[in-house]
Every structure is written in C-alpha cells, then in structure tokens.
Amino acid sequence: SDVYKRQILTGSLVRLALGVLTDRLGGRLVYTLTMLAAALATFLLGWAETYAQMLIAALGVGLAGGSFAVGVAYVSRFFDGRKQGTALGIFGVCNVGAAVTKFVAPFVMVAFGWQATAQIWAAVLVVTAILFWLLSKDDPVTSARHEGKAPLRSMKAELAPLKNGQVWRFSAYYFFSFGGFVALALWLPHYLIGVYGLGVKTAGIVGAAYSIPASIFRAWGGMLSDRVGARMVMYWTLFVSAACAAILSIPAGVSVAIFLIVIFILGFFMSLGKAAVYKHIPSYYPDNVGAVGGLVGMIGGLGGFVLPLLFGWLKEETGLWSTCFMVIFVLVIGCLIWMHASIRRMDRAAAPQAA
C-alpha cells in the first residue's frame, strides 16, 4: 500500500514538469524518455532488498503516472476542437492498464516471483518505448519548430495561464473526478469488508471490476463532450455524483445490492467528468495544454493520494465508514457552486458585448 501511494505521489508531482517539457520539446521525445526512466525504476524495484530501497524505487515507478500529462499535450495537437474530446477520452482509457495489472500481476508473481514480475514489466515498458519511438511522429507544432517555422516560447509564456483562476477551477473538478475515483477504488475493498463483511477475495474482485468499466467509459465521456459540450457533461456529472454521494453518506447504510448499484453509477459519471475536464483544456488553452494539463493532472493525482488518508482518518475519528462519501459530497457541491457561479459571471460579462 505504501509503495502504491508513493507511485501516485510521484506521478502527480511530475505532471506539471513533464507537461511543460512536452509543450517545449514535443511529446514523442518526452514520452519515450519517460517510459525508459519508468522501466529503469521498475527493473531496480526487483532488486530492492530493504523496505527503504523498495520505497525509493517506487518513487521512480511513479513516473509512469506522470506520462498522462505528456500524452494529453501530445495527442491534442493532432486534432481540432471538434474531435479533441473524443481523442483525449480514448487516450484516457489507458487508466484501465492499472486495473489489468491488478488482475494479471498476481498470477505472474505466483508463477515467477515478485522480482521477476517487476523485471518482466520493465522489459515490456522498454519494448513499448522503442516501438513508440519507431512508429510515432512529431506533432505538428514540434515539426514546425524543427523546420524553423515556429519559435520556441519563453518559460514565462508557458506558465502564464497557471495564474488564472479558471485553471484552478478545472483542477478542482479533476481533484474530485480523478482523485476521488482513485481514492474510492483504493478504499472500496476495505469498505466492503468492514461494512458488509465480504471476503477479501470478493471485495478485491469488486474493486477491480469498479476500476475497469469506469475507465473505459472515459472514452464515451470524451465523445459526449464533443457532441453536447464539456460544460453540459460536467453539470450532469456533478448533479448525479452529488445524489449518489448523498445516498451513500447515510450512516445507517444501504443494502449491499443498492450500494453496488449506486457506487457503479458514481464511478461511471466520474469517468465522464474526467473526460470533460480535459476537453476544456485545449479549448481554452490550445497553446498551453502541457502546462495547464500538467497542473490539472497534478492536483487530481494529489487527490488520489490525500483522500484515502483522509478517509482512513475520518473512519478512525468518527467510527463511521460513510464519512468517505460525506467528503465526496462536500467536494461535489463545492465544485458545482464554483462552476455555476463562474459560468453566470462569464455570461453576464458576455451579455453587453453581444448586445
């Protein structure tokens, strides 16, 4: 658990830096180097002999999580605004890889040992990095820079949008939709065991089943954002998520059947919200997708690190398992109020210009 949390932390903190590097150097180069660095850390993880060495190696493995900011900046440059939501939604399905690893890695570990498992995963990463370098191409902006048709912008220009409140509002959405999703995926098996008395194996299967379809539906969220608008998708996400969190916050609890139905509905809409957030970014900041996407991803990833700790602390202090959903409810309502107030303010500012 500590190893996994450190991977999440590293993957979160490096997203801003990797996003800025992608804007400046191009996703093809940065993505390849990130995969190779993560492969090296994964290989060294298999040679760790002490707990401290394992934690240090896990910090390096977390670079793989930071690659999401690289991919967003890279992929978005190949598509116009009408298709960016769909493209980024499909790219976001990559989150399912973590759930697949939860299924497959234990079988490999039983067959070959945990050290060999780390080395096999490292080898796959190296092969993937080589294939990506050979089969991919530079994005249009990077190609234009190599040809001398587009200048390299200053670091000040790269980071300028980060002072906008709108960027931090998008980050709050992602703190809930991505960070909350990761936190619930980690917390769900403990919840099912503690509240409903499910066995460890059954609870683990439900937790993995929760992660896979919710990640896949992110692609549909991207397509919906292209068709009806990311703002509408976010509204639906926040409204339905608030209703689900309110139901699950009832201290007396609900039956296990109702719980599973509601939690899967919540995960589904959180996946739509994740896609909608990243549809906003290239629409508002087409020249700074790496920096803005990196910051938004960093805040979301920190949610996945901080929220499970908060869930555990609240459970110990109150004795109520449902406090985790009370936290989610507060987050959703906060995002909904902030979003609606900002949209109303923008509409009022645009009205005189339209007139």
Side-chain angles (χ1 to χ4, degrees):
S1 178
D2 288 341
V3 171
Y4 186 58
K5 289 177 181 176
R6 277 156 178 77
Q7 293 176 12
I8 295 175
L9 181 61
T10 304
S12 303
L13 295 178
V14 300
R15 288 189 181 196
L16 177 57
L18 290 176
V20 173
L21 283 174
T22 303
D23 278 344
R24 298 177 66 81
L25 304 178
R28 182 168 177 255
L29 174 62
V30 177
Y31 220 149
T32 302
L33 294 178
T34 301
M35 283 190 281
L36 291 175
L40 176 60
T42 305
F43 179 79
L44 294 176
L45 182 65
W47 292 93
E49 296 180 349
T50 66
Y51 184 61
Q53 291 174 349
M54 184 174 293
L55 292 181
I56 293 172
L59 290 173
V61 175
L63 288 171
S67 66
F68 184 80
V70 180
V72 167
Y74 177 64
V75 171
S76 65
R77 287 179 171 177
F78 287 98
F79 301 91
D80 59 29
R82 295 171 298 175
K83 298 179 180 179
Q84 281 177 337
T86 301
L88 294 177
I90 293 172
F91 171 74
V93 175
C94 67
N95 288 338
V96 79
V100 172
T101 295
K102 288 181 182 179
F103 273 121
V104 177
F107 294 100
V108 179
M109 185 173 63
V110 170
F112 302 103
W114 73 267
Q115 293 93 341
T117 302
Q119 292 162 8
I120 292 171
W121 256 248
V124 171
L125 262 177
V126 170
V127 172
T128 303
I130 294 172
L131 290 175
F132 176 77
W133 178 259
L134 295 176
L135 301 177
S136 64
K137 63 180 181 180
D138 286 325
D139 61 82
V141 175
T142 303
S143 296
R145 286 175 179 167
H146 289 166
E147 297 170 2
K149 298 179 181 179
L152 183 66
R153 299 190 307 162
S154 67
M155 186 61 70
K156 182 179 180 180
E158 297 284 3
L159 299 176
L162 302 190
K163 63 183 180 183
N164 296 342
Q166 184 185 54
V167 173
W168 294 93
R169 177 160 54 88
F170 294 162
S171 300
Y173 301 163
Y174 208 60
F175 185 90
F176 153 67
S177 59
F178 177 77
F181 178 82
V182 171
L184 288 178
L186 290 173
W187 190 248
L188 187 56
H190 302 284
Y191 192 96
L192 292 171
I193 294 170
V195 176
Y196 296 106
L198 270 63
V200 175
K201 183 178 180 181
T202 302
I205 293 174
V206 173
Y210 174 78
S211 300
I212 292 178
S215 298
I216 294 174
F217 283 128
R218 184 166 183 160
W220 193 42
M223 289 186 284
L224 280 177
S225 298
D226 282 338
R227 293 176 182 177
V228 303
R231 179 182 296 179
M232 182 61 67
V233 175
M234 279 306 307
Y235 264 126
W236 275 105
T237 295
L238 295 175
F239 277 125
V240 176
S241 296
C244 291
I247 294 171
L248 298 174
S249 295
I250 300 172
V254 294
S255 68
V256 65
I258 294 176
F259 174 84
L260 291 176
I261 291 172
V262 176
I263 195 69
F264 272 84
I265 292 173
L266 177 60
F268 168 72
F269 275 92
M270 291 172 97
S271 292
L272 300 186
K274 286 184 285 186
V277 172
Y278 270 93
K279 167 64 177 178
H280 279 90
I281 294 172
S283 299
Y284 285 95
Y285 303 98
D287 298 326
N288 299 86
V289 175
V292 176
L295 177 67
V296 170
M298 181 181 76
I299 299 299
L302 289 175
F305 177 78
V306 171
L307 288 175
L309 301 178
L310 179 59
F311 293 167
W313 179 77
L314 287 173
K315 166 60 178 62
E316 292 298 321
E317 291 295 316
T318 66
L320 294 175
W321 281 95
S322 61
T323 49
C324 61
F325 296 108
M326 297 178 189
V327 171
I328 296 297
F329 180 79
V330 171
L331 277 175
V332 174
I333 295 300
C335 288
L336 185 57
I337 293 173
W338 193 1
M339 175 180 173
H340 190 64
S342 299
I343 291 172
R344 290 290 301 274
R345 186 166 56 250
M346 288 189 293
D347 289 343
R348 287 194 297 269
Q353 298 178 4

PDB file of all heavy atoms in Angstrom, residues 311-342:
ATOM      1  N   PHE A 311      -9.910   9.569   4.301  1.00  0.00           N
ATOM      2  CA  PHE A 311     -10.948   8.569   4.567  1.00  0.00           C
ATOM      3  C   PHE A 311     -10.601   7.746   5.809  1.00  0.00           C
ATOM      4  O   PHE A 311     -11.452   7.513   6.677  1.00  0.00           O
ATOM      5  CB  PHE A 311     -11.108   7.630   3.374  1.00  0.00           C
ATOM      6  CG  PHE A 311     -11.650   8.271   2.129  1.00  0.00           C
ATOM      7  CD1 PHE A 311     -11.599   7.597   0.913  1.00  0.00           C
ATOM      8  CD2 PHE A 311     -12.212   9.542   2.157  1.00  0.00           C
ATOM      9  CE1 PHE A 311     -12.109   8.171  -0.246  1.00  0.00           C
ATOM     10  CE2 PHE A 311     -12.706  10.131   0.995  1.00  0.00           C
ATOM     11  CZ  PHE A 311     -12.656   9.439  -0.203  1.00  0.00           C
ATOM     12  N   GLY A 312      -9.358   7.283   5.866  1.00  0.00           N
ATOM     13  CA  GLY A 312      -8.933   6.468   6.996  1.00  0.00           C
ATOM     14  C   GLY A 312      -8.965   7.226   8.303  1.00  0.00           C
ATOM     15  O   GLY A 312      -9.400   6.691   9.343  1.00  0.00           O
ATOM     16  N   TRP A 313      -8.526   8.476   8.272  1.00  0.00           N
ATOM     17  CA  TRP A 313      -8.503   9.293   9.487  1.00  0.00           C
ATOM     18  C   TRP A 313      -9.919   9.546   9.996  1.00  0.00           C
ATOM     19  O   TRP A 313     -10.195   9.420  11.197  1.00  0.00           O
ATOM     20  CB  TRP A 313      -7.794  10.613   9.209  1.00  0.00           C
ATOM     21  CG  TRP A 313      -7.753  11.514  10.408  1.00  0.00           C
ATOM     22  CD1 TRP A 313      -6.932  11.428  11.495  1.00  0.00           C
ATOM     23  CD2 TRP A 313      -8.605  12.660  10.640  1.00  0.00           C
ATOM     24  NE1 TRP A 313      -7.207  12.432  12.398  1.00  0.00           N
ATOM     25  CE2 TRP A 313      -8.221  13.208  11.896  1.00  0.00           C
ATOM     26  CE3 TRP A 313      -9.617  13.266   9.913  1.00  0.00           C
ATOM     27  CZ2 TRP A 313      -8.838  14.337  12.429  1.00  0.00           C
ATOM     28  CZ3 TRP A 313     -10.240  14.392  10.444  1.00  0.00           C
ATOM     29  CH2 TRP A 313      -9.849  14.915  11.680  1.00  0.00           C
ATOM     30  N   LEU A 314     -10.835   9.894   9.090  1.00  0.00           N
ATOM     31  CA  LEU A 314     -12.217  10.148   9.490  1.00  0.00           C
ATOM     32  C   LEU A 314     -12.879   8.892  10.051  1.00  0.00           C
ATOM     33  O   LEU A 314     -13.659   8.968  11.012  1.00  0.00           O
ATOM     34  CB  LEU A 314     -13.018  10.674   8.296  1.00  0.00           C
ATOM     35  CG  LEU A 314     -12.714  12.109   7.867  1.00  0.00           C
ATOM     36  CD1 LEU A 314     -13.446  12.436   6.573  1.00  0.00           C
ATOM     37  CD2 LEU A 314     -13.111  13.095   8.964  1.00  0.00           C
ATOM     38  N   LYS A 315     -12.579   7.751   9.453  1.00  0.00           N
ATOM     39  CA  LYS A 315     -13.137   6.494   9.970  1.00  0.00           C
ATOM     40  C   LYS A 315     -12.667   6.244  11.400  1.00  0.00           C
ATOM     41  O   LYS A 315     -13.457   5.838  12.273  1.00  0.00           O
ATOM     42  CB  LYS A 315     -12.712   5.337   9.056  1.00  0.00           C
ATOM     43  CG  LYS A 315     -12.921   3.936   9.616  1.00  0.00           C
ATOM     44  CD  LYS A 315     -14.382   3.662   9.941  1.00  0.00           C
ATOM     45  CE  LYS A 315     -14.578   2.229  10.454  1.00  0.00           C
ATOM     46  NZ  LYS A 315     -13.857   1.967  11.712  1.00  0.00           N
ATOM     47  N   GLU A 316     -11.387   6.491  11.654  1.00  0.00           N
ATOM     48  CA  GLU A 316     -10.854   6.265  12.995  1.00  0.00           C
ATOM     49  C   GLU A 316     -11.433   7.252  14.001  1.00  0.00           C
ATOM     50  O   GLU A 316     -11.699   6.903  15.151  1.00  0.00           O
ATOM     51  CB  GLU A 316      -9.329   6.373  12.969  1.00  0.00           C
ATOM     52  CG  GLU A 316      -8.636   5.260  12.214  1.00  0.00           C
ATOM     53  CD  GLU A 316      -8.905   3.899  12.834  1.00  0.00           C
ATOM     54  OE1 GLU A 316      -8.931   3.811  14.086  1.00  0.00           O
ATOM     55  OE2 GLU A 316      -9.100   2.930  12.082  1.00  0.00           O
ATOM     56  N   GLU A 317     -11.626   8.503  13.579  1.00  0.00           N
ATOM     57  CA  GLU A 317     -12.093   9.541  14.495  1.00  0.00           C
ATOM     58  C   GLU A 317     -13.581   9.439  14.798  1.00  0.00           C
ATOM     59  O   GLU A 317     -14.026   9.738  15.909  1.00  0.00           O
ATOM     60  CB  GLU A 317     -11.780  10.927  13.921  1.00  0.00           C
ATOM     61  CG  GLU A 317     -10.307  11.269  13.875  1.00  0.00           C
ATOM     62  CD  GLU A 317      -9.688  11.366  15.258  1.00  0.00           C
ATOM     63  OE1 GLU A 317     -10.328  11.971  16.149  1.00  0.00           O
ATOM     64  OE2 GLU A 317      -8.583  10.828  15.458  1.00  0.00           O
ATOM     65  N   THR A 318     -14.371   9.050  13.801  1.00  0.00           N
ATOM     66  CA  THR A 318     -15.828   9.041  13.966  1.00  0.00           C
ATOM     67  C   THR A 318     -16.416   7.646  14.128  1.00  0.00           C
ATOM     68  O   THR A 318     -17.526   7.501  14.642  1.00  0.00           O
ATOM     69  CB  THR A 318     -16.509   9.710  12.755  1.00  0.00           C
ATOM     70  OG1 THR A 318     -16.278   8.916  11.584  1.00  0.00           O
ATOM     71  CG2 THR A 318     -15.966  11.118  12.540  1.00  0.00           C
ATOM     72  N   GLY A 319     -15.691   6.659  13.644  1.00  0.00           N
ATOM     73  CA  GLY A 319     -16.229   5.306  13.655  1.00  0.00           C
ATOM     74  C   GLY A 319     -17.224   5.037  12.542  1.00  0.00           C
ATOM     75  O   GLY A 319     -17.787   3.949  12.465  1.00  0.00           O
ATOM     76  N   LEU A 320     -17.452   6.028  11.660  1.00  0.00           N
ATOM     77  CA  LEU A 320     -18.418   5.894  10.578  1.00  0.00           C
ATOM     78  C   LEU A 320     -17.708   5.617   9.263  1.00  0.00           C
ATOM     79  O   LEU A 320     -16.886   6.418   8.804  1.00  0.00           O
ATOM     80  CB  LEU A 320     -19.254   7.175  10.443  1.00  0.00           C
ATOM     81  CG  LEU A 320     -20.182   7.521  11.610  1.00  0.00           C
ATOM     82  CD1 LEU A 320     -20.832   8.884  11.365  1.00  0.00           C
ATOM     83  CD2 LEU A 320     -21.259   6.450  11.789  1.00  0.00           C
ATOM     84  N   TRP A 321     -18.039   4.515   8.633  1.00  0.00           N
ATOM     85  CA  TRP A 321     -17.466   4.209   7.329  1.00  0.00           C
ATOM     86  C   TRP A 321     -17.964   5.180   6.260  1.00  0.00           C
ATOM     87  O   TRP A 321     -17.259   5.492   5.301  1.00  0.00           O
ATOM     88  CB  TRP A 321     -17.830   2.779   6.923  1.00  0.00           C
ATOM     89  CG  TRP A 321     -16.993   1.720   7.578  1.00  0.00           C
ATOM     90  CD1 TRP A 321     -17.290   1.011   8.709  1.00  0.00           C
ATOM     91  CD2 TRP A 321     -15.716   1.259   7.145  1.00  0.00           C
ATOM     92  NE1 TRP A 321     -16.283   0.134   9.007  1.00  0.00           N
ATOM     93  CE2 TRP A 321     -15.299   0.260   8.050  1.00  0.00           C
ATOM     94  CE3 TRP A 321     -14.879   1.584   6.088  1.00  0.00           C
ATOM     95  CZ2 TRP A 321     -14.086  -0.410   7.931  1.00  0.00           C
ATOM     96  CZ3 TRP A 321     -13.671   0.899   5.955  1.00  0.00           C
ATOM     97  CH2 TRP A 321     -13.283  -0.074   6.868  1.00  0.00           C
ATOM     98  N   SER A 322     -19.175   5.671   6.412  1.00  0.00           N
ATOM     99  CA  SER A 322     -19.782   6.505   5.375  1.00  0.00           C
ATOM    100  C   SER A 322     -19.197   7.910   5.295  1.00  0.00           C
ATOM    101  O   SER A 322     -19.570   8.683   4.420  1.00  0.00           O
ATOM    102  CB  SER A 322     -21.297   6.605   5.601  1.00  0.00           C
ATOM    103  OG  SER A 322     -21.585   7.195   6.855  1.00  0.00           O
ATOM    104  N   THR A 323     -18.273   8.260   6.200  1.00  0.00           N
ATOM    105  CA  THR A 323     -17.677   9.599   6.147  1.00  0.00           C
ATOM    106  C   THR A 323     -16.911   9.830   4.848  1.00  0.00           C
ATOM    107  O   THR A 323     -16.779  10.974   4.404  1.00  0.00           O
ATOM    108  CB  THR A 323     -16.728   9.818   7.340  1.00  0.00           C
ATOM    109  OG1 THR A 323     -15.831   8.703   7.442  1.00  0.00           O
ATOM    110  CG2 THR A 323     -17.495   9.978   8.640  1.00  0.00           C
ATOM    111  N   CYS A 324     -16.436   8.775   4.209  1.00  0.00           N
ATOM    112  CA  CYS A 324     -15.725   8.949   2.937  1.00  0.00           C
ATOM    113  C   CYS A 324     -16.656   9.540   1.878  1.00  0.00           C
ATOM    114  O   CYS A 324     -16.261  10.402   1.080  1.00  0.00           O
ATOM    115  CB  CYS A 324     -15.125   7.633   2.453  1.00  0.00           C
ATOM    116  SG  CYS A 324     -16.324   6.319   2.139  1.00  0.00           S
ATOM    117  N   PHE A 325     -17.900   9.110   1.888  1.00  0.00           N
ATOM    118  CA  PHE A 325     -18.863   9.630   0.918  1.00  0.00           C
ATOM    119  C   PHE A 325     -19.364  11.019   1.304  1.00  0.00           C
ATOM    120  O   PHE A 325     -19.774  11.796   0.437  1.00  0.00           O
ATOM    121  CB  PHE A 325     -20.020   8.658   0.751  1.00  0.00           C
ATOM    122  CG  PHE A 325     -19.593   7.342   0.179  1.00  0.00           C
ATOM    123  CD1 PHE A 325     -19.550   6.202   0.968  1.00  0.00           C
ATOM    124  CD2 PHE A 325     -19.184   7.245  -1.144  1.00  0.00           C
ATOM    125  CE1 PHE A 325     -19.128   4.994   0.445  1.00  0.00           C
ATOM    126  CE2 PHE A 325     -18.761   6.046  -1.677  1.00  0.00           C
ATOM    127  CZ  PHE A 325     -18.738   4.915  -0.879  1.00  0.00           C
ATOM    128  N   MET A 326     -19.305  11.342   2.590  1.00  0.00           N
ATOM    129  CA  MET A 326     -19.602  12.708   3.004  1.00  0.00           C
ATOM    130  C   MET A 326     -18.553  13.664   2.443  1.00  0.00           C
ATOM    131  O   MET A 326     -18.873  14.779   2.012  1.00  0.00           O
ATOM    132  CB  MET A 326     -19.638  12.803   4.530  1.00  0.00           C
ATOM    133  CG  MET A 326     -20.737  11.971   5.176  1.00  0.00           C
ATOM    134  SD  MET A 326     -20.699  12.079   6.991  1.00  0.00           S
ATOM    135  CE  MET A 326     -21.882  10.812   7.438  1.00  0.00           C
ATOM    136  N   VAL A 327     -17.293  13.225   2.431  1.00  0.00           N
ATOM    137  CA  VAL A 327     -16.219  14.033   1.850  1.00  0.00           C
ATOM    138  C   VAL A 327     -16.463  14.239   0.357  1.00  0.00           C
ATOM    139  O   VAL A 327     -16.336  15.349  -0.168  1.00  0.00           O
ATOM    140  CB  VAL A 327     -14.848  13.363   2.087  1.00  0.00           C
ATOM    141  CG1 VAL A 327     -13.747  14.075   1.304  1.00  0.00           C
ATOM    142  CG2 VAL A 327     -14.510  13.349   3.565  1.00  0.00           C
ATOM    143  N   ILE A 328     -16.810  13.155  -0.339  1.00  0.00           N
ATOM    144  CA  ILE A 328     -17.100  13.252  -1.766  1.00  0.00           C
ATOM    145  C   ILE A 328     -18.264  14.207  -2.013  1.00  0.00           C
ATOM    146  O   ILE A 328     -18.228  15.030  -2.947  1.00  0.00           O
ATOM    147  CB  ILE A 328     -17.427  11.854  -2.347  1.00  0.00           C
ATOM    148  CG1 ILE A 328     -16.206  10.924  -2.238  1.00  0.00           C
ATOM    149  CG2 ILE A 328     -17.872  11.977  -3.802  1.00  0.00           C
ATOM    150  CD1 ILE A 328     -15.005  11.373  -3.025  1.00  0.00           C
ATOM    151  N   PHE A 329     -19.298  14.134  -1.191  1.00  0.00           N
ATOM    152  CA  PHE A 329     -20.453  15.018  -1.344  1.00  0.00           C
ATOM    153  C   PHE A 329     -20.047  16.481  -1.202  1.00  0.00           C
ATOM    154  O   PHE A 329     -20.460  17.332  -2.007  1.00  0.00           O
ATOM    155  CB  PHE A 329     -21.520  14.667  -0.308  1.00  0.00           C
ATOM    156  CG  PHE A 329     -22.748  15.535  -0.384  1.00  0.00           C
ATOM    157  CD1 PHE A 329     -23.715  15.309  -1.353  1.00  0.00           C
ATOM    158  CD2 PHE A 329     -22.929  16.574   0.516  1.00  0.00           C
ATOM    159  CE1 PHE A 329     -24.848  16.112  -1.433  1.00  0.00           C
ATOM    160  CE2 PHE A 329     -24.061  17.382   0.437  1.00  0.00           C
ATOM    161  CZ  PHE A 329     -25.021  17.146  -0.537  1.00  0.00           C
ATOM    162  N   VAL A 330     -19.237  16.791  -0.198  1.00  0.00           N
ATOM    163  CA  VAL A 330     -18.776  18.171   0.007  1.00  0.00           C
ATOM    164  C   VAL A 330     -17.950  18.642  -1.185  1.00  0.00           C
ATOM    165  O   VAL A 330     -18.093  19.782  -1.661  1.00  0.00           O
ATOM    166  CB  VAL A 330     -17.967  18.287   1.313  1.00  0.00           C
ATOM    167  CG1 VAL A 330     -17.308  19.655   1.427  1.00  0.00           C
ATOM    168  CG2 VAL A 330     -18.861  18.040   2.515  1.00  0.00           C
ATOM    169  N   LEU A 331     -17.086  17.768  -1.701  1.00  0.00           N
ATOM    170  CA  LEU A 331     -16.279  18.122  -2.866  1.00  0.00           C
ATOM    171  C   LEU A 331     -17.158  18.437  -4.073  1.00  0.00           C
ATOM    172  O   LEU A 331     -16.946  19.426  -4.778  1.00  0.00           O
ATOM    173  CB  LEU A 331     -15.336  16.966  -3.217  1.00  0.00           C
ATOM    174  CG  LEU A 331     -14.024  16.858  -2.450  1.00  0.00           C
ATOM    175  CD1 LEU A 331     -13.292  15.580  -2.866  1.00  0.00           C
ATOM    176  CD2 LEU A 331     -13.150  18.066  -2.697  1.00  0.00           C
ATOM    177  N   VAL A 332     -18.152  17.601  -4.312  1.00  0.00           N
ATOM    178  CA  VAL A 332     -19.038  17.782  -5.464  1.00  0.00           C
ATOM    179  C   VAL A 332     -19.810  19.088  -5.356  1.00  0.00           C
ATOM    180  O   VAL A 332     -19.887  19.871  -6.314  1.00  0.00           O
ATOM    181  CB  VAL A 332     -20.013  16.594  -5.593  1.00  0.00           C
ATOM    182  CG1 VAL A 332     -21.014  16.861  -6.703  1.00  0.00           C
ATOM    183  CG2 VAL A 332     -19.265  15.311  -5.878  1.00  0.00           C
ATOM    184  N   ILE A 333     -20.389  19.342  -4.200  1.00  0.00           N
ATOM    185  CA  ILE A 333     -21.166  20.574  -4.011  1.00  0.00           C
ATOM    186  C   ILE A 333     -20.275  21.802  -4.171  1.00  0.00           C
ATOM    187  O   ILE A 333     -20.675  22.801  -4.785  1.00  0.00           O
ATOM    188  CB  ILE A 333     -21.856  20.570  -2.637  1.00  0.00           C
ATOM    189  CG1 ILE A 333     -22.900  19.451  -2.573  1.00  0.00           C
ATOM    190  CG2 ILE A 333     -22.505  21.928  -2.362  1.00  0.00           C
ATOM    191  CD1 ILE A 333     -23.990  19.553  -3.607  1.00  0.00           C
ATOM    192  N   GLY A 334     -19.046  21.728  -3.638  1.00  0.00           N
ATOM    193  CA  GLY A 334     -18.123  22.844  -3.801  1.00  0.00           C
ATOM    194  C   GLY A 334     -17.812  23.114  -5.255  1.00  0.00           C
ATOM    195  O   GLY A 334     -17.815  24.267  -5.717  1.00  0.00           O
ATOM    196  N   CYS A 335     -17.544  22.045  -6.022  1.00  0.00           N
ATOM    197  CA  CYS A 335     -17.256  22.201  -7.455  1.00  0.00           C
ATOM    198  C   CYS A 335     -18.472  22.737  -8.206  1.00  0.00           C
ATOM    199  O   CYS A 335     -18.349  23.586  -9.095  1.00  0.00           O
ATOM    200  CB  CYS A 335     -16.841  20.853  -8.053  1.00  0.00           C
ATOM    201  SG  CYS A 335     -15.207  20.278  -7.558  1.00  0.00           S
ATOM    202  N   LEU A 336     -19.642  22.252  -7.855  1.00  0.00           N
ATOM    203  CA  LEU A 336     -20.871  22.671  -8.534  1.00  0.00           C
ATOM    204  C   LEU A 336     -21.154  24.156  -8.304  1.00  0.00           C
ATOM    205  O   LEU A 336     -21.481  24.895  -9.244  1.00  0.00           O
ATOM    206  CB  LEU A 336     -22.049  21.831  -8.044  1.00  0.00           C
ATOM    207  CG  LEU A 336     -23.399  22.047  -8.736  1.00  0.00           C
ATOM    208  CD1 LEU A 336     -23.290  21.816 -10.234  1.00  0.00           C
ATOM    209  CD2 LEU A 336     -24.446  21.128  -8.124  1.00  0.00           C
ATOM    210  N   ILE A 337     -21.007  24.610  -7.063  1.00  0.00           N
ATOM    211  CA  ILE A 337     -21.233  26.027  -6.757  1.00  0.00           C
ATOM    212  C   ILE A 337     -20.210  26.897  -7.476  1.00  0.00           C
ATOM    213  O   ILE A 337     -20.555  27.925  -8.083  1.00  0.00           O
ATOM    214  CB  ILE A 337     -21.158  26.260  -5.236  1.00  0.00           C
ATOM    215  CG1 ILE A 337     -22.340  25.566  -4.540  1.00  0.00           C
ATOM    216  CG2 ILE A 337     -21.148  27.747  -4.915  1.00  0.00           C
ATOM    217  CD1 ILE A 337     -22.253  25.588  -3.029  1.00  0.00           C
ATOM    218  N   TRP A 338     -18.941  26.489  -7.440  1.00  0.00           N
ATOM    219  CA  TRP A 338     -17.870  27.265  -8.084  1.00  0.00           C
ATOM    220  C   TRP A 338     -18.096  27.324  -9.595  1.00  0.00           C
ATOM    221  O   TRP A 338     -17.986  28.377 -10.228  1.00  0.00           O
ATOM    222  CB  TRP A 338     -16.527  26.639  -7.756  1.00  0.00           C
ATOM    223  CG  TRP A 338     -15.334  27.497  -8.091  1.00  0.00           C
ATOM    224  CD1 TRP A 338     -15.343  28.755  -8.629  1.00  0.00           C
ATOM    225  CD2 TRP A 338     -13.968  27.164  -7.891  1.00  0.00           C
ATOM    226  NE1 TRP A 338     -14.064  29.226  -8.783  1.00  0.00           N
ATOM    227  CE2 TRP A 338     -13.200  28.270  -8.345  1.00  0.00           C
ATOM    228  CE3 TRP A 338     -13.309  26.048  -7.394  1.00  0.00           C
ATOM    229  CZ2 TRP A 338     -11.804  28.272  -8.298  1.00  0.00           C
ATOM    230  CZ3 TRP A 338     -11.923  26.053  -7.341  1.00  0.00           C
ATOM    231  CH2 TRP A 338     -11.181  27.155  -7.788  1.00  0.00           C
ATOM    232  N   MET A 339     -18.458  26.199 -10.177  1.00  0.00           N
ATOM    233  CA  MET A 339     -18.684  26.145 -11.614  1.00  0.00           C
ATOM    234  C   MET A 339     -19.862  27.025 -12.026  1.00  0.00           C
ATOM    235  O   MET A 339     -19.757  27.838 -12.960  1.00  0.00           O
ATOM    236  CB  MET A 339     -18.938  24.694 -12.032  1.00  0.00           C
ATOM    237  CG  MET A 339     -19.306  24.532 -13.503  1.00  0.00           C
ATOM    238  SD  MET A 339     -19.601  22.791 -13.923  1.00  0.00           S
ATOM    239  CE  MET A 339     -20.196  22.957 -15.601  1.00  0.00           C
ATOM    240  N   HIS A 340     -20.985  26.881 -11.334  1.00  0.00           N
ATOM    241  CA  HIS A 340     -22.178  27.633 -11.726  1.00  0.00           C
ATOM    242  C   HIS A 340     -21.963  29.139 -11.529  1.00  0.00           C
ATOM    243  O   HIS A 340     -22.381  29.939 -12.385  1.00  0.00           O
ATOM    244  CB  HIS A 340     -23.382  27.164 -10.914  1.00  0.00           C
ATOM    245  CG  HIS A 340     -24.678  27.712 -11.404  1.00  0.00           C
ATOM    246  ND1 HIS A 340     -25.182  27.422 -12.654  1.00  0.00           N
ATOM    247  CD2 HIS A 340     -25.576  28.555 -10.815  1.00  0.00           C
ATOM    248  CE1 HIS A 340     -26.336  28.049 -12.819  1.00  0.00           C
ATOM    249  NE2 HIS A 340     -26.598  28.740 -11.717  1.00  0.00           N
ATOM    250  N   ALA A 341     -21.322  29.522 -10.437  1.00  0.00           N
ATOM    251  CA  ALA A 341     -21.064  30.945 -10.195  1.00  0.00           C
ATOM    252  C   ALA A 341     -20.143  31.516 -11.263  1.00  0.00           C
ATOM    253  O   ALA A 341     -20.347  32.651 -11.748  1.00  0.00           O
ATOM    254  CB  ALA A 341     -20.447  31.133  -8.810  1.00  0.00           C
ATOM    255  N   SER A 342     -19.142  30.761 -11.683  1.00  0.00           N
ATOM    256  CA  SER A 342     -18.210  31.232 -12.713  1.00  0.00           C
ATOM    257  C   SER A 342     -18.897  31.374 -14.059  1.00  0.00           C
ATOM    258  O   SER A 342     -18.677  32.345 -14.797  1.00  0.00           O
ATOM    259  CB  SER A 342     -17.020  30.267 -12.825  1.00  0.00           C
ATOM    260  OG  SER A 342     -16.316  30.186 -11.604  1.00  0.00           O
TER     261      SER A 342
END
